[in-house]
């Protein structure tokens, strides 16, 4: 294969730093929540960068942004890369941004290397990978997979009571075109997302590249515990129906279920808890909390949901409170495409890079892309495995190294014929 130019560390650094100037919490990590002023500015920045490197820019009816590098045969299905630019509250600088900035740099390198490629290559900014605003993640890729319809946007509500549907309307997205977001099998030739690892496996192994073979899938629950709001001083212990005490027992139980699982990919987190009315001297009348569960085994997640139901009912009986469980999302783990994995292994070998084959514990838009297209991902190391935290760090040299693997992989895929064998 003819030589592809190396990616430039300075481009990557500059774009990540510029992008992260759009931030609601300067000095306290990056907070950039879907369709807020800062997020809209970040979108504008990315579109400008895409145009600067010679990509055609389009946006669909849920705000997924497509930057296209035209191939010599645009009738063939395109090759994709990309990630997200929205964040969790007080996030780091790299989660999502690495794949968007790295994707743009990879396309720039391909273009400027002057190498022939048949398929269009597209870098996608997927709308709201994080569930921060509407409680559900991967909104853009979910809509592509047909799992979020225009009608479904009426049922996603933010903390101010605003629906996603209303927000999209206000921003001028055309709801008549919502159905066009959906992709069918065959529409996309294959997708490779570059992302930081968000764990410490690569660092421990001293390897710079992770090749993802599967993504562990999340299940999100909201549990409500209803007790009786009463005076904290005047209500004796035996007659209380304390929603908080009952919730705490359920939470400890859930943590124990994940801890005692034989499957190391099984994890459970209660990360958000609302206590009503939320006063020092009032017994809580109602508590609502989230449960985020992940596993590479769908069946095991089902079993844990059943166990949580049994536990909540039992604690409800003992504590005299009412409990209810709502399943917000319940996703299937995604298996990477064996052929793309092989291509990436070959690219790493030719670039003399040691790689590690690994399962992603975090979820990514690629999980939904897997429903309609073959995928894999490239991971680059996270210092100390820290992520979803302001101290998240990946060396820019390591990102550059990942972009070099990405660029060559995309180039190879973009010249492949349609009938390459796939593990359907
Ligand atoms: C994605 O950010 C996740 O929570 O895995
Ligand atoms: Mn994240
Ligand atoms: Mn991410």
């Amino acid at each position: 294969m003819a030589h592809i130019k190396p990616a430039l560390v300075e481009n990557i650094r500059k774009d990540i730093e510029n992008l992260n100037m759009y931030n609601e919490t300067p000095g306290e990590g990056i907070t950039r929540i879907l369709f807020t002023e800062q997020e809209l500015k970040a979108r504008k920045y990315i579109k400008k960068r895409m145009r600067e490197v010679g990509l055609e820019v389009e946006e669909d009816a849920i705000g997924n942004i497509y930057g296209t590098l035209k191939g010599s045969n645009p009738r063939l299905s395109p090759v994709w890369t990309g990630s997200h630019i929205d964040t969790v509250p007080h996030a780091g600088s790299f989660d999502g941004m690495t794949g968007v900035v790295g994707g743009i740099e990879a396309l720039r390198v391909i273009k400027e290397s002057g190498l022939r490629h048949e398929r269009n290559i597209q870098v996608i900014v997927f709308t709201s990978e994080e569930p921060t605003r509407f409680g559900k993640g991967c909104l853009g890729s979910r809509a592509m997979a047909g799992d979020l319809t225009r009608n479904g946007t009426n049922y996603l509500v933010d903390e101010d009571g605003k629906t996603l549907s209303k927000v999209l309307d206000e921003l001028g997205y055309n709801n008549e075109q919502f159905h066009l977001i959906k992709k069918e099998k065959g529409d996309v030739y294959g997708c490779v997302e570059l992302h930081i690892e968000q764990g410490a496996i690569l660092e421990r192994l001293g390897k710079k590249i992770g090749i993802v073979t599967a993504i562990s899938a999340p299940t999100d629950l909201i549990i409500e515990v209803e007790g009786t709001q009463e005076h904290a001083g005047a209500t004796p212990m035996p007659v209380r129906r304390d929603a908080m005490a009952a919730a705490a027992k359920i939470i400890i139980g859930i943590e124990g279920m994940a801890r005692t699982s034989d499957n190391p990919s099984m994890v459970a987190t209660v990360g958000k808890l609302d206590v009503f009315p939320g006063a020092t001297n009032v017994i809580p009348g109602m508590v609502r909390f989230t449960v985020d569960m992940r596993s590479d085994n769908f069946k095991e997640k089902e079993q844990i949901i059943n166990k949580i139901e049994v536990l909540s009912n039992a604690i409800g009986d003992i504590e005299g409170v009412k409990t209810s469980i709502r399943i917000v999302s319940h996703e299937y783990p995604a298996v990477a495409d064996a052929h793309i994995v092989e291509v990436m292994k070959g690219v790493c070998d030719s670039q003399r890079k040691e790689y590690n084959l690994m399962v992603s514990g975090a979820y990514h838009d690629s999980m939904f892309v897997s429903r309609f297209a073959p995928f894999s991902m490239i991971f680059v190391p996270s210092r100390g495995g820290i992520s979803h935290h302001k101290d998240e760090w990946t060396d820019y040299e390591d990102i550059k190294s990942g972009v070099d693997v990405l660029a060559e992989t995309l180039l190879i895929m973009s010249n492949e014929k349609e009938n390459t064998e796939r593990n359907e």
Side-chain angles (χ1 to χ4, degrees):
M1 142 145 325
H3 283 300
I4 185 162
K5 290 183 178 171
L8 295 179
V9 177
E10 270 322 295
N11 284 355
I12 296 164
R13 183 203 306 276
K14 197 181 75 204
D15 273 345
I16 289 187
E17 286 178 359
N18 285 347
L19 193 53
N20 285 333
M21 283 173 20
Y22 305 114
N23 177 15
E24 283 168 43
T25 53
E28 295 167 41
I30 310 292
T31 304
R32 195 167 44 243
I33 298 171
L34 176 67
F35 295 144
T36 55
E37 187 188 341
Q38 296 302 318
E39 203 251 8
L40 290 169
K41 285 183 177 164
R43 287 170 169 269
K44 216 164 158 190
Y45 176 83
I46 284 297
K47 288 190 230 174
K48 187 169 130 270
R49 274 301 288 149
M50 286 175 167
R51 289 194 187 99
E52 271 169 16
V53 306
L55 309 183
E56 274 181 21
V57 179
E58 287 165 295
E59 198 167 345
D60 69 17
I62 196 168
N64 292 312
I65 301 168
Y66 297 72
T68 304
L69 180 65
K70 276 269 157 69
S72 58
N73 192 352
R75 284 192 317 276
L76 296 176
S77 56
V79 175
W80 275 15
T81 186
S83 197
H84 60 101
I85 56 170
D86 69 309
T87 72
V88 296
H90 306 283
S93 300
F94 298 93
D95 172 5
M97 284 65 84
T98 299
V100 171
V101 166
I104 294 173
E105 178 62 5
L107 268 56
R108 184 194 68 78
V109 162
I110 294 171
K111 183 166 194 279
E112 294 187 6
S113 297
L115 299 169
R116 175 191 154 78
H117 62 97
E118 287 207 51
R119 297 173 188 278
N120 286 351
I121 309 177
Q122 297 183 297
V123 52
I124 321 280
V125 180
F126 295 98
T127 289
S128 196
E129 190 264 359
E130 304 289 5
T132 318
R133 179 158 183 183
F134 287 101
K136 217 172 203 183
C138 300
L139 299 183
S141 52
R142 191 183 288 271
M144 288 174 175
D147 213 56
L148 173 62
T149 58
R150 173 70 202 174
N151 186 41
T153 62
N154 292 312
Y155 299 95
L156 289 174
V157 186
D158 70 9
E159 279 190 349
D160 297 331
K162 223 173 194 186
T163 62
L164 173 59
S165 159
K166 179 121 197 327
V167 175
L168 289 170
D169 278 348
E170 284 176 1
L171 289 169
Y173 287 102
N174 184 349
N175 71 42
E176 310 267 285
Q177 299 199 336
F178 200 92
H179 65 283
L180 298 176
I181 302 167
K182 187 169 182 304
K183 302 286 177 286
E184 305 298 335
K185 279 192 175 168
D187 285 351
V188 177
Y189 180 69
C191 179
V192 180
E193 179 175 357
L194 172 69
H195 205 281
I196 56 166
E197 180 197 340
Q198 308 182 277
I201 295 171
L202 291 174
E203 191 179 67
R204 269 203 301 274
L205 296 173
K207 293 184 178 175
K208 298 295 191 188
I209 299 288
I211 297 179
V212 171
T213 54
I215 303 176
S216 191
T219 292
D220 291 312
L221 314 177
I222 290 182
I223 302 188
E224 277 187 7
V225 181
E226 209 185 309
T228 306
Q229 178 182 333
E230 280 175 295
H231 195 289
T235 315
M237 296 310 283
V239 300
R240 291 175 179 224
R241 295 168 63 233
D242 182 337
M244 184 62 199
K249 288 171 190 168
I250 298 170
I251 292 168
I252 296 291
I254 293 171
E255 203 241 359
M257 290 173 203
R259 251 184 211 287
T260 52
S261 164
D262 293 333
N263 177 354
S265 79
M266 180 75 225
V267 289
T269 307
V270 173
K272 192 162 185 283
L273 183 127
D274 297 309
V275 182
F276 300 94
T280 318
N281 57 350
V282 183
I283 299 168
M286 210 274 271
V287 169
R288 183 185 301 131
F289 60 93
T290 58
V291 181
D292 171 317
M293 263 197 280
R294 319 277 177 111
S295 173
D296 60 7
N297 182 332
F298 189 76
K299 233 193 193 137
E300 186 182 11
K301 290 196 297 176
E302 303 252 272
Q303 286 161 355
I304 298 247
I305 294 175
N306 290 339
K307 283 192 196 166
I308 293 175
E309 263 169 8
V310 171
L311 175 71
S312 303
N313 289 338
I315 290 185
D317 288 346
I318 296 164
E319 302 287 324
V321 297
K322 244 172 61 194
T323 61
S324 66
I325 300 177
R326 185 157 66 87
I327 299 177
V328 180
S329 59
H330 194 27
E331 316 301 351
Y332 285 97
V335 179
D337 179 70
H339 170 70
I340 298 179
V341 168
E342 282 310 309
V343 170
M344 288 201 289
K345 282 158 81 175
V347 169
C348 287
D349 288 343
S350 76
Q351 295 186 6
R352 297 206 166 75
K353 286 173 184 155
E354 276 195 76
Y355 57 82
N356 184 50
L357 296 175
M358 55 202 299
V359 173
S360 172
Y363 63 74
H364 302 282
D365 291 300
S366 291
M367 191 174 74
F368 280 96
V369 171
S370 76
R371 306 236 191 126
F372 56 85
F375 86 98
S376 180
M377 295 183 68
I378 300 169
F379 276 176
V380 287
S382 294
R383 188 171 70 193
I386 296 168
S387 187
H388 283 184
H389 188 283
K390 69 181 171 49
D391 294 340
E392 177 179 273
W393 183 260
T394 296
D395 287 338
Y396 286 106
E397 277 293 342
D398 290 349
I399 299 179
K400 176 230 178 283
S401 175
V403 173
D404 286 337
V405 174
L406 177 67
E408 196 169 337
T409 302
L410 296 175
L411 184 63
I412 292 171
M413 288 168 68
S414 72
N415 284 315
E416 283 180 342
K417 298 283 170 252
E418 210 67 56
N419 60 2
T420 303
E421 273 180 41
R422 290 290 166 80
N423 67 333
E424 285 289 301

